[in-house]
Amino acid sequence: RWGDAAIQCDDVAREAAMAVALGKPRPGHSVLGIGTFTAAEPCWVQLASKYEAGNGDVSAEKAAYEEALVASGDSGSKWRWRIKHMADGDPEYIA
């Protein structure tokens, strides 16, 4: 998927997203840090969205959450499903 032409991001973002996925610093970097995660965002979000759309397990998990919300009396109208990059940016979480 890294070479997918439908993923619109530059080489820096693509390289950073690959580094995040593999858990290894980018070439020329000594750590996998916030700079890499930030650079990866444009590519990472697109790749994650594409994965989510084609994965039955993810769809089933989302449906289970939606069903639980409805069963609890929440219509789900205030909930919006979307890919979030670095939902927790706390340095302790990233480290």
Side-chain angles (χ1 to χ4, degrees):
R1 294 185 177 169
W2 298 110
D4 188 338
I7 304 298
Q8 301 293 313
C9 59
D10 62 25
D11 290 340
V12 172
R14 194 175 304 272
E15 182 181 80
M18 189 178 290
V20 169
L22 297 175
K24 297 180 180 179
R26 292 181 279 175
H29 295 257
S30 59
V31 297
L32 184 63
I34 193 70
T36 300
F37 283 92
T38 301
E41 182 173 2
C43 197
W44 186 261
V45 170
Q46 290 179 63
L47 285 165
S49 295
K50 191 167 190 167
Y51 172 78
E52 174 196 27
N55 186 299
D57 290 339
V58 173
S59 297
E61 186 171 350
K62 283 174 53 178
Y65 277 108
E66 290 167 350
E67 185 178 322
L69 286 170
V70 170
S72 72
D74 186 332
S75 67
S77 61
K78 67 181 178 181
W79 298 97
R80 193 172 134 225
W81 300 103
R82 66 185 187 278
I83 301 294
K84 288 285 289 177
H85 177 76
M86 296 298 294
D88 186 345
D90 183 338
E92 282 187 37
Y93 175 76
I94 295 170

